Amino acid sequence: MRLEGKSIVVTGASAGMGQAIVTRFVQEGAYVVAVARRKERLEELAAELKDAPGKVIIYAGDVSNPAVCEGMIDLAVKEFGRLDVLVNNAGIMDDNTAVGDMSDEMMERMFKVNTYAPLYSMRKAIKVFLEQDDESGNIINVTSVGAVHQTAGVAYCASKAAIASATKNTAFMYIDKGIRCNAIAPGGVLTDIPLVMPTANEFGFKRTSSLLTHSPELGMPEDIANAALFLASDESLFVNGSVITCDGGWTCF
Ligand SMILES: NC(=O)c1ccc[n+]([C@@H]2O[C@H](COP(=O)([O-])OP(=O)(O)OC[C@H]3O[C@@H](n4cnc5c(N)ncnc54)[C@H](O)[C@@H]3O)[C@@H](O)[C@H]2O)c1
């Protein structure tokens, strides 16, 4: 097993990529704290995985609250004795709005969930990593091809670009410790995200949808879980500060 006994926190675990990541990790022997807002969805996931080699503990909360980000990591340390890997996957999509039409509310919502939440969690995880005997730890952020390419509105793309930048900064800052920080930039993946995204802004969507002509078939959440598994495992020990694009080639143009 590739993650046997590793203590891991995964956010956004009640659907899509987060659910696939938890499933894959637990099948590989990981001990996972699965975090999302919907407790009943987490309970279903834990029940599905009860016979898997690893373990799942659920933690219900909104990651835009710093206390939740601290609490989920404290829980992993309390239950599993340490923290090995943090996966910041929870995220939300905007309505494709260009900056001229962007509301304060949309800007705040995107940054709170897509940028502040991973930063709160990384801050807490780093403190825990540095206190561990081996000062080691591993952070995986889920950004987006939208961090570089204009696949969504300005608030979403900017919020994801910030976290791609924070990934490299963190890898650089702790390079002399045993701490790694990488990111995955998914392209279009078949998840619940279109179901929960706000109605598209007409002008913005017309611009962003022009890029869809280059898009291959949508990926599956398991495709992203496989990339996360590589980054979480010791097979990627020499990978640090990287943003791995998983988009089926969409952004090769
Ligand atoms: N699906 C895509 O095409 C795509 C493309 C690029 C990047 N991404 C990114 O991938 C990540 C996962 O997205 P997905 O497609 O699986 O979406 P999804 O909507 O299927 O799942 C998102 C998960 O995050 C959780 N979540 C959202 N806000 C939260 C909050 N405030 N607190 C706690 N949990 C919260 C949801 O409950 C859910 O479990 C996101 O960061 C998203 O931005 C998705």
Side-chain angles (χ1 to χ4, degrees):
M1 285 185 293
R2 293 158 73 186
L3 300 178
E4 193 166 8
K6 279 193 195 285
S7 166
I8 302 182
V9 173
V10 179
T11 70
S14 66
M17 299 177 199
Q19 186 177 324
I21 291 169
V22 173
T23 303
R24 192 81 175 90
F25 281 15
V26 172
Q27 286 164 348
E28 293 290 343
Y31 295 169
V32 176
V33 174
V35 185
R37 288 161 302 180
R38 289 168 293 179
K39 193 172 179 205
E40 62 295 345
R41 293 283 291 261
L42 294 173
E43 284 169 345
E44 280 166 27
L45 179 62
E48 275 168 31
L49 294 171
K50 70 176 179 359
D51 297 326
K55 286 184 195 163
V56 187
I57 292 179
I58 65 169
Y59 187 86
D62 183 333
V63 291
S64 63
N65 176 352
V68 168
C69 298
E70 302 229 333
M72 67 192 188
I73 290 172
D74 284 337
L75 183 63
V77 174
K78 179 169 162 267
E79 294 293 329
F80 306 141
R82 57 180 282 121
L83 178 71
D84 293 301
V85 184
L86 164 68
V87 183
N88 284 312
N89 162 77
I92 50 174
M93 182 54 183
D94 71 0
D95 58 355
N96 288 270
T97 298
V99 72
D101 293 325
M102 183 189 63
S103 66
D104 289 353
E105 190 270 335
M106 181 62 76
M107 180 169 60
E108 281 166 20
R109 200 142 53 93
M110 287 302 118
F111 275 83
K112 274 185 170 172
V113 179
N114 293 350
T115 309
Y116 292 178
L119 288 173
Y120 297 142
S121 306
M122 288 164 75
R123 179 174 61 191
K124 172 71 178 177
I126 291 287
K127 281 186 192 142
V128 171
F129 293 157
L130 293 176
E131 280 166 8
Q132 295 181 156
D133 287 348
D134 53 3
E135 291 191 330
S136 83
N138 182 358
I139 297 171
I140 303 167
N141 293 317
V142 179
T143 172
S144 168
V145 291
V148 177
H149 300 271
Q150 311 319 315
T151 56
V154 66
Y156 179 85
C157 290
S159 70
K160 290 294 188 179
I163 221 61
S165 173
T167 298
K168 287 187 182 288
N169 186 276
T170 302
F172 176 76
M173 290 292 186
Y174 299 99
I175 210 157
D176 293 334
K177 309 283 177 193
I179 296 172
R180 295 191 288 133
C181 184
N182 293 291
I184 300 171
V189 179
L190 191 59
T191 67
D192 284 356
I193 217 166
L195 308 177
V196 290
M197 71 188 266
T199 311
N201 170 275
E202 198 180 330
F203 170 78
F205 186 66
K206 202 168 162 201
R207 296 294 302 143
T208 60
S209 58
S210 63
L211 299 177
L212 294 175
T213 53
H214 301 282
S215 176
E217 273 187 25
L218 292 179
M220 298 305 290
E222 291 72 22
D223 296 321
I224 307 304
N226 284 331
L229 173 60
F230 169 67
L231 289 176
S233 76
D234 292 345
E235 293 155 29
S236 60
L237 279 180
F238 200 53
V239 182
N240 194 13
S242 291
V243 179
I244 298 184
T245 302
C246 296
D247 69 349
W250 182 15
T251 54
C252 290
F253 57 84

